[in-house]
Amino acid sequence: MALLHTRRLLAAPRLAAAAARASSWWSHVEMGPPDPILGVTEAFKRDTNSKKMNLGVGAYRDDNGKPYVLNCVRKAEAMIASKKMDKEYLPIAGLADFTRASAELALGENSEAFKSGRYVTVQGISGTGSLRIGANFLQRFFKSSRDVYLPKPSWGNHTPIFRDAGMQLQAYRYYDPKTCSLDFSGAMDDISKIPEKSIILLHACAHNPTGVDPRQEQWKELAALVKKRNLLVYFDMAYQGFASGDINRDAWAVRHFIEQGINVVLSQSYAKNMGLYGERAGAFTVVCSDAEEAKRVESQLKILIRPMYSNPPLNGARIASIILNTPDLRKEWLVEVKGMADRIISMRTQLVSNLKKEGSSHNWQHITDQIGMFCFTGLKPEQVERLTKEFSIYMTKDGRISVAGVTSGNVGYLAHAIHQVTK
């Protein structure tokens, strides 16, 4: 009898907990899937191999594999500290010096759209936040279609950003896994069939995740087709300057489309090209038909932003604004961003060279043909698994690597490992 009483006492808390779960407001909430890139990082952290490599994270590292803060950023921070500036709220649209400088950086100082003032730029919470402002604006004011056409593949966050804003996601061919390069004919064919007055998203440079960009002649053909189909173009430009090392070359597609009379919308980020990852500095721009239209659009963007986050963060915008608007610091930034881009390009070249030294008979030219932080290696999931298990080299299952995680000290080890799983 005493034993039965004891069992009842032990069971009571469990029954109470189960009853509490059943009556909870959130009992129906299921555990969400882990983020694939964060999962890679967690597995990397647990690995005790001294040669381990994390090629999953999309953040720049120096040649010692360490996070890098630009000298021009340090100088801008010192200027801000010396002025003992306040911490007051920014206006809803953000820091005016920052938004103007961002528009000039993207559109070009000689751009007719920029000089005539037929654009509006608002500050956003880096690239993601700027994309979400744009998605919400399209959901409310683009009456022709709810369809947003993304390249296959595209940055993983594009889908939830537009989906959660109430847009419908569609796709067009972009990457050819057989050649690890652009499927230009497939892209042109699919885009030619997109219904008129739909929205198409284009990566301005350093396509994420493939690193595959159209050539300028191909961009011209794309612009002509987009204009013919009367599509609204949404450019995502997260890597201006960081891709090629040249801010004008990386913005070429955006500027060409506008010159062809295509009024685009555009998101920018300063995470990569200024290393302001945690500062969350970005911008969203709408190119309009005239300055009066731009004023109306700006008024509605402010109404959208106000209940989302009221106003954007101050510090990152101040840093970027000081760099862009101070001639000496801007000059230094252009040198530093080219230095980062050049290191990435050098690692691509060294990886291919080391693969050849290992005796690999595969054609690895796509590694040097691709551009920007990411590289689609062409490795199969089972090869990626072997790299992780046998060599402690971590990347996403699709074979995408962040070239920023490669250094002169580990590129040989990486080449050796890739050769071992591909020979």
Side-chain angles (χ1 to χ4, degrees):
M1 194 70 183
L3 181 61
L4 181 61
H5 180 67
T6 302
R7 283 176 177 171
R8 284 175 179 169
L9 287 174
L10 290 171
R14 290 199 296 271
L15 291 170
R21 281 197 298 272
S23 64
S24 168
W25 296 113
W26 316 119
S27 58
H28 62 287
V29 177
E30 297 178 359
M31 178 64 72
D35 183 282
I37 295 175
L38 293 180
V40 169
T41 299
E42 289 304 313
F44 169 80
K45 287 179 180 177
R46 291 192 297 268
D47 197 316
T48 57
N49 186 343
S50 62
K51 292 185 176 181
K52 66 181 181 179
M53 294 178 67
N54 185 0
L55 303 180
V57 179
Y60 182 78
R61 298 290 182 261
D62 65 18
D63 201 44
N64 295 312
K66 302 297 183 184
Y68 176 62
V69 180
L70 278 65
N71 290 326
C72 61
V73 169
R74 293 292 193 207
K75 290 177 181 178
E77 287 177 323
M79 290 171 68
I80 292 167
S82 68
K83 291 179 181 178
K84 297 183 178 179
M85 301 169 87
D86 62 46
K87 300 291 185 182
E88 292 293 296
Y89 290 126
L90 280 176
I92 296 171
L95 187 66
D97 287 346
F98 169 78
T99 56
R100 188 181 188 282
S102 295
E104 182 183 350
L105 182 68
L107 307 181
E109 61 182 343
N110 296 317
S111 161
E112 175 275 325
F114 177 74
K115 291 195 290 187
S116 67
R118 63 177 185 92
Y119 74 92
V120 54
T121 300
V122 295
Q123 184 181 333
I125 303 175
S126 201
T128 300
S130 301
L131 282 160
R132 185 57 188 265
I133 293 170
N136 278 38
F137 178 74
L138 295 177
Q139 192 277 332
R140 184 170 293 185
F141 292 104
F142 193 72
K143 300 300 183 182
S144 303
S145 176
R146 283 286 174 270
D147 289 333
V148 179
Y149 285 78
L150 301 179
K152 289 191 292 188
S154 196
W155 180 44
N157 220 13
H158 279 147
T159 292
I161 286 169
F162 286 98
R163 182 193 62 213
D164 290 357
M167 305 301 282
Q168 302 294 319
L169 276 301
Q170 309 293 342
Y172 61 92
R173 280 175 285 175
Y174 186 85
Y175 177 76
D176 183 354
K178 293 178 182 176
T179 62
C180 298
S181 62
L182 178 65
D183 181 4
F184 184 65
S185 61
M188 292 290 285
D189 183 51
D190 281 0
I191 293 168
S192 71
K193 297 171 184 173
I194 295 176
E196 290 191 9
K197 298 182 180 179
S198 297
I199 302 157
I200 182 169
L201 184 133
L202 298 169
H203 297 232
C205 60
H207 179 275
N208 180 1
T210 70
V212 172
D213 286 353
R215 300 187 304 273
Q216 285 191 3
E217 289 304 313
Q218 292 172 326
W219 275 122
K220 289 178 182 178
E221 290 187 54
L222 282 166
L225 179 58
V226 161
K227 189 173 183 179
K228 181 181 178 182
R229 298 299 301 159
N230 194 22
L231 305 177
L232 175 66
V233 176
Y234 196 141
F235 270 112
D236 184 3
M237 186 158 63
Y239 297 93
Q240 187 181 2
F242 191 92
S244 69
D246 182 333
I247 58 170
N248 295 314
R249 178 179 170 184
D250 291 347
W252 189 91
V254 173
R255 296 173 187 179
H256 176 73
F257 274 60
I258 296 170
E259 287 168 4
Q260 298 307 303
I262 302 167
N263 290 340
V264 307
V265 298
L266 165 76
S267 288
Q268 291 168 266
S269 167
Y270 290 93
K272 308 297 192 299
N273 60 8
M274 285 190 183
L276 299 177
Y277 301 97
E279 298 289 359
R280 314 310 291 147
F284 174 68
T285 295
V286 181
V287 178
C288 300
S289 59
D290 54 47
E292 188 273 333
E293 182 176 273
K295 292 291 184 187
R296 286 187 280 114
V297 170
E298 182 181 29
S299 71
Q300 293 294 342
L301 285 170
K302 289 178 181 178
I303 290 168
L304 272 174
I305 291 168
R306 180 71 171 109
M308 286 173 71
Y309 54 84
S310 279
N311 43 70
L314 176 61
N315 197 54
R318 272 182 176 164
I319 293 168
S321 177
I322 287 172
I323 290 169
L324 293 172
N325 292 304
T326 306
D328 287 349
L329 287 186
R330 185 186 180 103
K331 186 176 179 181
E332 186 171 359
W333 170 60
L334 293 175
V335 172
E336 288 190 276
V337 73
K338 187 177 188 306
M340 290 192 291
D342 286 349
R343 195 187 87 73
I344 296 286
I345 293 166
S346 172
M347 287 303 106
R348 289 178 179 275
T349 303
Q350 288 185 46
L351 178 56
V352 173
S353 176
N354 276 274
L355 280 163
K356 288 177 181 176
K357 287 179 184 176
E358 288 287 330
S360 178
S361 59
H362 295 286
N363 182 1
W364 298 102
Q365 186 180 335
H366 59 275
I367 292 177
T368 49
D369 285 347
Q370 294 170 15
I371 194 169
M373 182 173 286
F374 298 110
C375 171
F376 251 34
T377 59
L379 293 169
K380 298 176 175 62
E382 60 270 21
Q383 294 169 332
V384 171
E385 188 175 354
R386 280 192 63 195
L387 283 173
T388 302
K389 285 185 176 180
E390 298 175 26
F391 299 96
S392 298
I393 296 173
Y394 293 83
M395 64 186 73
T396 49
K397 291 179 182 178
D398 57 10
R400 186 201 81 164
I401 65 170
S402 173
V403 188
V406 185
T407 70
S408 57
N410 64 25
V411 66
Y413 178 70
L414 176 61
H416 172 72
I418 291 174
H419 177 55
Q420 292 302 309
V421 303
T422 57
K423 65 181 182 179

